[in-house]
Amino acid sequence: MIGDFVLERRTKETNIFLRVSFNSNLNFINIDSGIPFFDHLLMQTSFHGCFSTSLKCIGDLDIDTHHTVEDIGLVYGKLFGKVFKLKQAERYVFSFVPFDDSLTRIVLDISGRPYLVFNVQSTECSIKGISINTIMEFFRSFTSSSKTTIHIENYGFNNHHRMESIFKCFGILLKRVFSLKRNRHSYSTKELW
């Protein structure tokens, strides 16, 4: 299918290295964002998406988690945007994932138009510096740099389950992007003319 993709980003706020592999053993997941709970969430995406991930981020966590999560979203989005451009991906994909009290639905359009709908009730509660609002920033950055439209809906009362459900659902969605591809198609009717 497709092989390894590597991307780096260095700013005053973060230093990020990301490698994603679609051909190697799934057991290779090595994620170190400096935020253990966020590592756990990203690991869910990689595991359920059936791709290997190596991520190392050094961020300004002495300030807070915002820049780290936001910039990792930018790097993930840019990397997956490159993968999507190979046109080995299905344009419209959706996924549902229940996790105990929580249910997540994500719909993706590889449209070339960045847009995020994040229909997730926010709470003030955070887990190890990660909140629902922080998660929204990850996906806002992802849609912006991948030039995709993503609609995320989630409900539940346990914030850990809610966030984990979102990242599991996102992984399954990314897996389906490639497993549902047709032999040949355009992403838009505009390409037919």
Side-chain angles (χ1 to χ4, degrees):
M1 183 174 69
I2 47 183
D4 291 5
F5 290 82
V6 176
L7 200 59
E8 294 184 66
R9 175 184 167 90
R10 293 177 187 215
T11 69
K12 291 181 180 179
E13 297 165 345
T14 58
N15 183 349
I16 301 171
F17 171 86
L18 175 64
R19 178 190 305 272
V20 172
S21 175
F22 297 89
N23 289 337
S24 63
N25 188 334
L26 177 61
N27 292 330
F28 185 72
I29 300 174
N30 183 13
I31 296 173
D32 180 9
S33 68
I35 311 166
F37 183 63
F38 191 52
D39 296 348
H40 172 67
L41 297 176
L42 292 173
M43 192 267 308
Q44 298 299 322
T45 296
S46 186
F47 180 83
H48 292 281
C50 294
F51 56 88
S52 294
T53 303
S54 178
L55 170 73
K56 177 66 178 173
C57 176
I58 300 170
D60 57 358
L61 294 176
D62 53 318
I63 296 175
D64 68 9
T65 61
H66 179 88
H67 295 145
T68 296
V69 172
E70 180 181 45
D71 286 5
I72 288 173
L74 287 171
V75 173
Y76 264 82
K78 191 169 184 180
L79 186 143
F80 274 95
K82 288 181 178 182
V83 176
F84 297 154
K85 282 183 182 177
L86 293 176
K87 295 202 174 193
Q88 296 186 27
E90 184 69 20
R91 178 174 170 177
Y92 301 105
V93 184
F94 66 91
S95 180
F96 291 86
V97 169
F99 183 26
D100 294 348
D101 58 288
S102 178
L103 178 67
T104 298
R105 176 179 70 166
I106 303 179
V107 182
L108 168 72
D109 177 10
I110 302 173
S111 59
R113 295 182 309 277
Y115 198 84
L116 174 67
V117 174
F118 196 76
N119 190 6
V120 179
Q121 183 180 1
S122 178
T123 66
E124 295 299 318
C125 177
S126 70
I127 300 171
K128 304 288 186 179
I130 300 295
S131 67
I132 296 293
N133 287 336
T134 311
I135 297 306
M136 181 180 67
E137 292 304 322
F138 171 84
F139 285 102
R140 180 176 288 150
S141 295
F142 184 94
T143 56
S144 173
S145 59
S146 66
K147 296 184 174 28
T148 57
T149 294
I150 299 178
H151 289 242
I152 300 174
E153 295 178 313
N154 168 276
Y155 65 79
F157 57 83
N158 180 306
N159 279 346
H160 183 128
H161 294 169
R162 293 175 68 204
M163 289 187 262
E164 192 166 328
S165 173
I166 291 169
F167 279 84
K168 285 179 178 179
C169 192
F170 188 53
I172 291 169
L173 181 95
L174 292 174
K175 179 172 75 173
R176 287 184 175 169
V177 164
F178 302 106
S179 64
L180 293 176
K181 77 180 183 75
R182 293 187 289 260
N183 290 333
R184 185 169 180 202
H185 70 284
S186 295
Y187 283 138
S188 171
T189 55
K190 295 176 182 67
E191 294 179 20
L192 298 176
W193 311 108

